[in-house]
Amino acid sequence: MLLMPQRILLVYTKAGGGHFALAQNLHKLLTELEPESEVRLFNFFDVGPRWIAQAIQDGYNFAVNKQRWLFTVFQAFYQTRPAIQSFARVLGMRLAPAINEYLEEFRPDKIIYCYPVNHGFRRLPYVRKHKPKTLTVVSDIFSPHLYWFIDTKDQYVVASPEAYSIARRYRVPPENLHYFQTLIDPKYDQPLAPEEVARLRQEWGLVHPYTVLLTGGGAGLKISHRLVRELVKIEGINVVVVCGYNQKLYRQLETFKQKNQIANLILFGFTKQMYELINVSNVVVSKAGPATIAEVLSQHKDLIVCDYVWPQEHGNVELIRHEKLGYYIRQPRKIAEKIRELKSRPPERKTLNLQNDIVRLARYILAL
């Protein structure tokens, strides 16, 4: 069937890397599937006052990675519809004019929300007048927060039976819920070719047969420095650390590496090679981000989760523990003990029994 060219807007923020990654993957697929259509990524904080972006995006990342108690207090306060709606109205007073101006300029036929702002956008003059088709893609797989489902009239994509049940609990009608399973980059559907794995191991100086990967999103893992000190005591392993945009962590580990002349410690800053890094690794230590969990398990790697963001990632931890898909260990010393154990025995290739539906979702969006 020949589709007419469309204008599709993918709305995201950088308050949490999973929203942005989902939007990027959908952008790539929609562009490939329908080259004649115009697909745009839109971080709505970019069109408003800079201080709002700093307060929300930078504040979120700071609270989650540095002062978790601040984020916990914030989440505890926003447990009711009135609280969330009041915050959205206050925020919208400063952002709405600029967002509406952007929408009038682009004139999208469809708006796909990769972040929970559909209830705010619904009140914008452009949306009320032109009524573009809308869809919210819930990127929190197992325990999404109430703020995803404030607008019960919108159409939603959920990725698990648990998320479906939560949406119904918040009064979203079943006809508004669409079930798509794991939503990660299609390249994770297959492992990297063995010869490419061998080439990368040589390029990155992975001289030992066993590799441990530490990754915690853009800010890196909070316990990276302490954990590295424990891991380098283990003989016969490579320790690979992705520091993201955390330059302080990168400098600390680089100084530690040079001072102690540790050749088997390999450091990365921000990288777009997570697929390759997961493929060359035997075990991945990470926080409980849903995309990271799906990516690691899709490649049948051992997984250790050492941290999670409450409440939206709590369900991810419970799933891992209940289904015995990995391990939840917080202390660096105990993580090192578990890695010694894993290194000495054959790997258990357990994985989530979920298919990657992101291509099917992209086709669904084009057919809306």
Side-chain angles (χ1 to χ4, degrees):
M1 182 177 66
L2 183 63
L3 297 174
M4 295 293 293
Q6 305 175 50
R7 293 190 180 93
I8 303 173
L9 191 67
L10 298 166
V11 179
Y12 73 97
T13 77
K14 292 184 178 178
H19 312 297
F20 186 29
L22 173 63
Q24 286 181 308
N25 287 332
L26 284 174
H27 180 271
K28 178 182 177 182
L29 285 171
L30 291 168
T31 303
E32 290 174 353
L33 291 170
E34 189 52 56
E36 297 300 317
S37 293
E38 185 175 1
V39 185
R40 288 190 189 180
L41 289 163
F42 178 52
N43 181 349
F44 61 90
F45 285 130
D46 286 346
V47 300
R50 177 59 187 154
W51 68 266
I52 293 181
Q54 291 175 323
I56 304 297
Q57 293 184 152
D58 298 346
Y60 170 91
N61 293 319
F62 173 79
V64 166
N65 295 295
K66 300 293 184 182
Q67 298 291 335
R68 184 65 57 80
W69 68 271
L70 284 174
F71 184 77
T72 301
V73 170
F74 179 86
Q75 290 285 64
F77 179 73
Y78 289 102
Q79 292 293 314
T80 65
R81 290 179 185 273
I84 297 170
Q85 289 169 334
S86 297
F87 178 74
R89 288 191 185 96
V90 171
L91 194 62
M93 290 172 61
R94 300 304 303 267
L95 291 175
I99 295 173
N100 195 72
E101 182 180 350
Y102 182 90
L103 295 179
E104 291 285 1
E105 178 270 325
F106 180 45
R107 302 184 72 80
D109 308 303
K110 299 173 182 177
I111 302 177
I112 311 302
Y113 303 107
C114 301
Y115 191 78
V117 289
N118 52 352
H119 54 287
F121 272 60
R122 181 177 287 275
R123 295 191 295 270
L124 294 173
Y126 177 87
V127 176
R128 294 168 65 182
K129 179 180 178 182
H130 297 283
K131 294 181 172 51
K133 293 181 179 179
T134 62
L135 180 70
T136 293
V137 183
V138 181
S139 56
D140 293 324
I141 297 178
F142 298 105
S143 50
H145 192 278
L146 165 63
Y147 48 53
W148 282 103
F149 306 111
I150 293 296
D151 184 357
T152 59
K153 296 180 181 179
D154 197 12
Q155 301 291 310
Y156 288 93
V157 165
V158 293
S160 70
E162 293 84 355
Y164 182 94
S165 297
I166 291 171
R168 292 291 293 120
R169 188 190 315 153
Y170 291 137
R171 304 193 297 275
V172 179
E175 61 269 22
N176 289 10
L177 292 170
H178 310 278
Y179 185 47
F180 291 78
Q181 296 188 48
T182 311
L183 301 173
I184 57 177
D185 194 312
K187 65 187 176 185
Y188 285 92
D189 293 343
Q190 299 292 332
L192 199 60
E195 58 271 20
E196 183 64 9
V197 170
R199 185 190 70 80
L200 289 171
R201 286 179 54 83
Q202 182 177 15
E203 177 183 330
W204 291 334
L206 304 179
V207 297
H208 298 295
Y210 197 87
T211 299
V212 180
L213 172 64
L214 278 59
T215 177
L221 287 176
K222 292 193 298 182
I223 65 169
S224 290
H225 199 188
R226 288 180 292 145
L227 181 54
V228 165
R229 289 177 177 272
E230 295 290 339
L231 293 179
V232 295
K233 299 174 186 177
I234 304 174
E235 293 185 4
I237 71 169
N238 311 296
V239 181
V240 180
V241 185
V242 176
C243 302
Y245 55 75
N246 191 335
Q247 296 182 3
K248 180 180 179 182
L249 174 62
Y250 188 95
R251 289 194 299 269
Q252 285 177 334
L253 292 177
E254 180 65 28
T255 300
F256 175 72
K257 175 181 179 177
Q258 298 299 331
K259 181 179 179 180
N260 296 280
Q261 298 182 344
I262 305 172
N264 62 325
L265 175 59
I266 294 89
L267 304 177
F268 287 82
F270 176 81
T271 178
K272 294 183 178 180
Q273 293 183 287
M274 287 306 303
Y275 169 72
E276 290 81 2
L277 287 168
I278 290 172
N279 267 270
V280 303
S281 302
N282 299 88
V283 57
V284 180
V285 183
S286 179
K287 64 186 287 291
T292 301
I293 291 172
E295 290 165 359
V296 172
L297 294 179
S298 75
Q299 300 305 302
H300 307 288
K301 305 296 181 177
D302 286 320
L303 173 66
I304 298 176
V305 170
C306 63
D307 193 15
Y308 70 92
V309 177
W310 182 89
Q312 62 261 37
E313 292 178 352
H314 179 258
N316 304 342
V317 175
E318 290 303 303
L319 176 82
I320 289 168
R321 297 170 70 176
H322 183 265
E323 300 294 331
K324 295 181 171 56
L325 296 170
Y327 308 91
Y328 175 57
I329 311 172
R330 297 183 66 90
Q331 298 86 355
R333 179 179 57 81
K334 292 185 178 180
I335 293 172
E337 290 175 0
K338 176 56 69 174
I339 289 173
R340 285 189 177 92
E341 176 189 332
L342 294 172
K343 179 176 177 289
S344 65
R345 73 185 193 198
E348 298 179 8
R349 298 311 189 194
K350 292 186 177 182
T351 187
L352 280 169
N353 188 27
L354 296 175
Q355 66 184 29
N356 187 5
D357 273 345
I358 195 165
V359 175
R360 187 167 72 90
L361 175 59
R363 295 186 186 278
Y364 178 79
I365 290 171
L366 289 172
L368 274 177

